[in-house]
Structures are given as structure tokens and as C-alpha cells.
Amino acid sequence: MGIDLRRHRGRGFLLFIIGFLIIVAVQLKSELKQKQVLRRERELLYGRRTDNDTEYVEEMDEEYTADENTDADTEREDEDEYETEETTAETSATPTTERKRTCQAKERIAFAKTHKTGSSTIQNILFRFGDERNLNFAVPERSWMFSFKEPFKSETVMSLPWSINGYDIFAFHCVWNYKEVMKVVPNAFFTTILRDPIDCYESNYVYMGLQRAYRMDVNEFARKKAFLDPPRRKNAIIGKDQMLWDLGVTNEDLEKPNIVYKKIREFDDQFGLVMLAEYFDESLVLLADKLCWDLKDVRYLKQNARTSKSKNIIDPGTRSIMTHWLRADYMLYSYFKSRFQEEVEKYGKERLERDTARLRELNRQLKEECVLEVADNSKLKGDFRMAMDFVEGYVINPDKKWCFPYATSEPKYSVHVRKMAQLRAGFIGKKKLNSK
């Protein structure tokens, strides 16, 4: 019996077309599902939740129970506490104030997050900027900080299944390792923030529970402990010369001035800007200029600021003792305070004063529009609850959904940016969206 080759070929071609269309349909369905999940996740953060979100929320909650329930008792996070002048700007500014730019905004950023320096507020600014632009954060797999047991390793995030899209922003606590961070965000703008070492230590001393452990305030600690000039304790996560340790200098090297100075010069080469907590708003103006951002991009509500009753008043004798004990951190701070003044001169003092006033006016308007009350955890709920009860957060106007990210706590925002990076790579947790 003969075979009609033309009919056979025609049927084969038809089957090929049908198969191809099925593949396209499946792919489109998968992409549509991914877009829907991304949209709903963003709606949840900004407070626009509908009844149709129930099934999605249950699925996500099942995948992220461990993250959502991360407790401050297991790992304490840093507070950001700094003093800025409450100056009313003489120049008018609105939330839409923009400077004319000929440059392009930088979207690849590496931030060395230091303890008790204002770093969580900087991180929140980066969270909002990146989230609005669908940028990917190099976020720890299950926490809001990387391990402090060893310097950061790029494989920590590069080995994750959702790393396929690469990373744009590095902004989480770690033991700093410049070369490894470079592998994660090559060609990034590198920045960090420092604070007067004594004020930084006092904040760490209270927040991290050392005051409770030693059963003495920081003034008594200075007279009885720091006066003896002990080195940093082995395996201590918080302690002497904290900022240098955060930046990757080992306990042994902290006691060697020549190595400390060498490290400082290396940091000068690494960072495009080293901000100072004592000049927080000025630092943000300089950062916005370096990144080619608008001032409205660096508006903020202070994150993780302690209540006033939890702060120690440091007496002059304590400052004298602690200045000597924290001499390595003072080498770091003094060097970059001088470099900061050079940045101010380069930017122009009058221009900086003018732009700082504009930023403070933007912040004033932001707080006026968004904040109903500054409160502790007794009045805070959900994404706005802080990691520690003696830290202040914000009761946000529920009708102003755009305000929510400004007050979202660090642990909660970390979970959100992790989910978004996963979803953009086609994952819910470690599960592929189109897998059966």
C-alpha cells in the first residue's frame, strides 16, 4: 500500500505548529502568573490588598513562615540613632522638587552597613529606591543580616537559585569583604557611614545588652573596664573599635596602628563617599549628588532610634578614657572626617547649606503627611513593629499608602525585597513558579 508523502508531511507540519503554540501558551501563562504575583506582593507592601489575594497570601506565608516570624531575641539588629538639627528651611520645597540633571542615576550600589551609625535609615532609602525600580538586592537567604562568624563570601548569595538575574544593591550587615562584594555587584558605587566612636559605642553598649550584662552604665564601664585598656574580646560581635571590625579589620590588627592606617587608606580607595552620622542630612545631599539622584529620593523617617530614656549621658571623664581605648576607631573617624570636609568644599558650602535645607523641608513635609504618632511597639503593628521594644517607630496614616515603605521595619522590608528578587527570577521561595 503506497504512502501519500505530501499528506504525511502536511500533518507533521501541522502537529509541529500546534506543539509550538502550546509551548508559547504555557510560557505566556507562566509570565502572566509571575506578573500577577509581583503585583500582589507590591500591593501587600503598600497596603492595597483585595479579597483575591487570600490564596496568594496563604501560599507565600507557608513558604516564608520562618522569615516572617524572625524574632529579635535570636539576633539583635542595630538601631540608627543620630542627631540632626531640627531646622526649618527658609527655602520652599515640595515632594516633587527635582534638580535638573545631565547624568544618569546610578542603580548599582554597595553599602557597608555599620552598627549604630544611622545605617538602617540609609538602608531604608536604598530599599525604597531599589524596590520602586525593580532592582535586585543581594539579601541573606533567611535573615536580614549575613553571618558575623567570618568575612562575607560572594557564594552566600551567588549560589542561591534566584541569583540568575544578578544583583544591583548590596546593603545588609556583614563582616565587610570588599573583594567578595565586588563579585556580587561589580562596577557599583561603594559607600558607608561612620559615627563618633564614643557615641557609637554607647549606643551599641545599651542596644546590644552589654549594659544589662555588665550591670553598669557606660560611665562606670569606662572607669572599671575600659580604663584597663583591654583588647577586643575574641569572637565578640559587638565591642571595642566596632566600626573597623564591621569593615573587616581583625581583632589582632586593631591593636596594630600601622596596619590600621594601611586599612584606612584601602577604605579610602574603596569608597566613593564615607558619610558621617553627625552630618547626616549633609551626607545624604552629597550621596544624592554622587548617585545622580533627586533629593526626594533620599527623604527619610529615622529608623531604629532609641527612646530618650534609654540613652546614657556620657560625662567628660568617660570621654577621656574612651577616646584612648577606642583609638583605632578614632583613627578611622578622624581620617574620614577630614575627607568629608574635602567633599563639602568640593560641593560648595553655600550650595550644601541650601540643599540640606531643602532636604529637611522635604522630610518635614513627609512626616507631616505620613506620621500620626511616633511610638514604641506598644502602639505599632504588623510591618511597622520594631525589632526592640525601646526603639521608636511610626504610626502611619492608613489613607496614605505611599507612606508605608518609609516606616516599614528592617526585618519586614528584608523579607519583601527577598520575595521580589525571587519572583522576578520565577521563584516562590525555592519553588519554580511554572513547576508542577
Side-chain angles (χ1 to χ4, degrees):
M1 184 172 63
I3 297 176
D4 188 339
L5 292 176
R6 287 178 298 178
R7 181 181 297 177
H8 181 74
R9 289 172 181 165
R11 185 178 301 168
F13 180 73
L14 180 61
L15 290 174
F16 170 79
I17 293 297
I18 293 172
F20 175 76
L21 291 174
I22 290 173
I23 292 172
V24 171
V26 170
Q27 183 66 28
L28 289 174
K29 183 179 179 181
S30 175
E31 291 177 0
L32 178 61
K33 181 180 179 182
Q34 184 173 347
K35 289 179 180 179
Q36 290 172 336
V37 174
L38 280 166
R39 189 187 71 249
R40 289 178 179 174
E41 171 62 25
R42 193 175 297 281
E43 287 172 351
L44 288 179
L45 178 69
Y46 286 83
R48 296 186 293 273
R49 179 173 173 178
T50 67
D51 294 337
N52 293 330
D53 289 326
T54 304
E55 182 179 351
Y56 160 76
V57 172
E58 290 175 352
E59 183 179 8
M60 296 297 282
D61 284 346
E62 180 180 354
E63 200 63 48
Y64 290 98
T65 300
D67 289 273
E68 295 286 359
N69 294 332
T70 301
D71 195 286
D73 291 336
T74 59
E75 277 188 279
R76 289 192 177 96
E77 172 55 325
D78 73 311
E79 85 178 293
D80 286 346
E81 176 203 17
Y82 44 83
E83 302 299 328
T84 56
E85 296 180 12
E86 296 181 358
T87 306
T88 302
E90 295 180 0
T91 57
S92 61
T94 66
T96 56
T97 298
E98 296 184 5
R99 286 175 284 180
K100 292 182 179 179
R101 296 279 188 184
T102 57
C103 54
Q104 185 173 356
K106 291 181 173 64
E107 295 185 343
R108 182 158 286 188
I109 302 152
F111 175 53
K113 195 171 188 294
T114 47
H115 285 88
K116 304 295 167 289
T117 56
S119 64
S120 286
T121 300
I122 303 292
Q123 184 190 53
N124 181 268
I125 290 170
L126 296 175
F127 277 161
R128 288 184 279 108
F129 183 88
D131 194 31
E132 290 169 3
R133 291 158 179 80
N134 293 317
L135 304 180
N136 290 323
F137 286 82
V139 57
E141 184 177 8
R142 292 190 176 278
S143 180
W144 65 89
M145 61 191 81
F146 293 104
S147 172
F148 294 120
K149 295 180 180 179
E150 60 183 355
F152 173 78
K153 294 180 179 178
S154 59
E155 64 191 41
T156 306
V157 291
M158 299 304 286
S159 62
L160 296 173
W162 49 88
S163 66
I164 56 175
N165 289 335
Y167 297 108
D168 302 294
I169 299 176
F170 186 99
F172 290 86
H173 268 309
C174 69
V175 179
W176 185 250
N177 187 339
Y178 174 73
K179 291 182 179 179
E180 290 295 300
V181 174
M182 276 281 287
K183 296 177 183 178
V184 177
V185 280
N187 303 314
F189 179 86
F190 281 70
T191 186
T192 190
I193 184 168
L194 304 176
R195 184 184 183 185
D196 177 88
I198 294 174
D199 296 329
C200 183
Y201 186 85
E202 184 277 332
S203 188
N204 274 300
Y205 187 79
V206 175
Y207 191 87
M208 296 299 179
L210 296 178
Q211 180 168 268
R212 185 171 60 253
Y214 283 115
R215 298 183 180 179
M216 60 180 77
D217 69 12
V218 73
N219 294 299
E220 187 176 356
F221 173 86
R223 295 192 301 272
K224 294 182 177 180
K225 301 288 185 180
F227 178 77
L228 301 174
D229 198 24
R232 186 184 176 96
R233 291 185 299 110
K234 185 178 180 181
N235 300 325
I237 294 174
I238 297 296
K240 181 183 181 183
D241 296 322
Q242 185 62 42
M243 291 183 292
L244 278 168
W245 190 86
D246 284 339
L247 293 174
V249 181
T250 66
N251 290 12
E252 295 78 15
D253 287 345
L254 288 173
E255 303 301 321
K256 301 172 182 176
N258 59 324
I259 294 182
V260 168
Y261 183 71
K262 180 182 177 182
K263 292 289 186 181
I264 290 171
R265 294 301 300 266
E266 289 177 4
F267 297 146
D268 198 8
D269 290 335
Q270 293 172 16
F271 296 111
L273 176 67
V274 175
M275 298 175 279
L276 299 179
E278 289 72 25
Y279 302 94
F280 195 79
D281 290 341
E282 291 86 349
S283 293
L284 288 177
V285 171
L286 294 176
L287 180 65
D289 186 67
K290 297 276 187 181
L291 296 176
C292 194
W293 290 8
D294 296 312
L295 283 182
K296 66 180 182 180
D297 292 324
V298 295
R299 292 179 296 175
Y300 66 89
L301 296 177
K302 286 196 296 185
Q303 293 284 318
N304 289 342
R306 284 182 295 160
T307 58
S308 57
K309 63 182 180 182
S310 68
K311 301 175 184 178
N312 287 299
I313 297 176
I314 303 173
D315 63 43
T318 294
R319 288 198 175 273
S320 178
I321 294 169
M322 299 293 277
T323 298
H324 175 71
W325 189 52
L326 302 174
R327 54 192 175 275
D329 257 0
Y330 266 108
M331 287 177 65
L332 174 75
Y333 181 76
S334 298
Y335 181 92
F336 282 106
K337 188 173 183 180
S338 177
R339 293 286 285 116
F340 187 84
Q341 292 303 319
E342 292 176 17
E343 293 287 351
V344 170
E345 295 289 341
K346 190 186 303 182
Y347 191 87
K349 289 184 178 180
E350 291 185 5
R351 179 187 171 201
L352 183 60
E353 289 176 3
R354 183 173 63 251
D355 287 345
T356 300
R358 291 173 61 206
L359 175 59
R360 288 174 176 161
E361 174 62 14
L362 289 170
N363 286 335
R364 185 197 66 77
Q365 293 175 358
L366 174 69
K367 192 170 184 178
E368 185 178 85
E369 282 199 62
C370 296
V371 178
L372 299 180
E373 183 180 358
V374 178
D376 60 24
N377 277 345
S378 65
K379 294 184 179 181
L380 301 176
K381 298 179 181 179
D383 290 353
F384 307 128
R385 283 185 64 81
M386 296 291 105
M388 304 293 284
D389 288 339
F390 55 77
V391 169
E392 292 178 335
Y394 304 91
V395 178
I396 296 296
N397 186 336
D399 297 326
K400 302 287 181 67
K401 310 301 182 186
W402 63 270
C403 298
F404 290 5
Y406 289 87
T408 299
S409 71
E410 181 176 348
K412 293 294 185 180
Y413 220 141
S414 300
V415 171
H416 171 72
V417 297
R418 183 189 300 115
K419 290 178 182 178
M420 297 301 288
Q422 292 170 341
L423 292 170
R424 280 190 286 268
F427 288 85
I428 294 182
K430 292 186 177 181
K431 179 183 176 183
K432 261 287 191 181
L433 273 174
N434 59 358
S435 63
K436 294 183 179 179

